[in-house]
Amino acid sequence: MSQRQEQIESVLMRQIGGVLSRGLADPRIAGMVSVTRVSVSPDLRHADVFVSVMPDRYEKRTIAGLHSAAGRIAADVRKAVAARVMPRLRFKIDPTLKKQAEVFQAIREGMDKT
């Protein structure tokens, strides 16, 4: 991965997180939404934005809301970032946080048994 890609990913992650923390008018976006990572394609045309949604019951509808609001989010980010090309944002659920929580829970249960 190029240094340029890494820089763009970092900037996008901060800016998208800022847009989400200020809130969007879409009622489907509910719960606490956190941007966990961003992966930009080598040609910088697409960016996969991985998010965590708490509580879990809001995941599907929040992702649907984020997909609908992707253009608006990109426009807000474009205002704050001077870039020739703004990647098309694709939102996805990041499963790693759930897996980590399951591992920690299993460790806790194992320690409680001893």
Side-chain angles (χ1 to χ4, degrees):
M1 177 183 308
S2 72
Q3 185 177 4
R4 175 85 173 137
Q5 267 181 285
E6 289 177 11
Q7 289 173 338
I8 291 173
E9 289 173 353
S10 176
V11 168
L12 286 176
M13 186 169 158
R14 278 194 314 273
Q15 293 298 323
I16 293 168
V19 170
L20 294 178
S21 70
R22 287 189 297 276
L24 297 168
D26 193 323
R28 293 174 291 183
I29 301 172
M32 187 177 83
V33 182
S34 306
V35 179
T36 57
R37 63 186 168 105
V38 176
S39 177
V40 178
S41 65
D43 64 359
L44 308 178
R45 293 191 183 270
H46 300 282
D48 290 329
V49 181
F50 294 89
V51 296
S52 170
V53 179
M54 298 292 181
D56 295 343
R57 67 179 181 265
Y58 295 131
E59 279 183 354
K60 289 182 182 179
R61 74 182 220 193
T62 296
I63 286 294
L66 289 172
H67 281 294
S68 294
R72 171 70 181 165
I73 295 168
D76 287 351
V77 171
R78 189 177 293 118
K79 290 177 189 174
V81 177
R84 278 183 264 141
V85 177
M86 181 64 192
R88 179 177 296 256
L89 304 178
R90 298 181 292 203
F91 290 91
K92 299 180 178 189
I93 292 292
D94 189 352
T96 56
L97 293 179
K98 286 183 190 171
K99 290 179 184 175
Q100 288 176 352
E102 290 172 4
V103 168
F104 287 135
Q105 182 63 30
I107 291 170
R108 267 188 243 118
E109 289 173 2
M111 292 180 75
D112 290 342
K113 290 180 182 177
T114 60

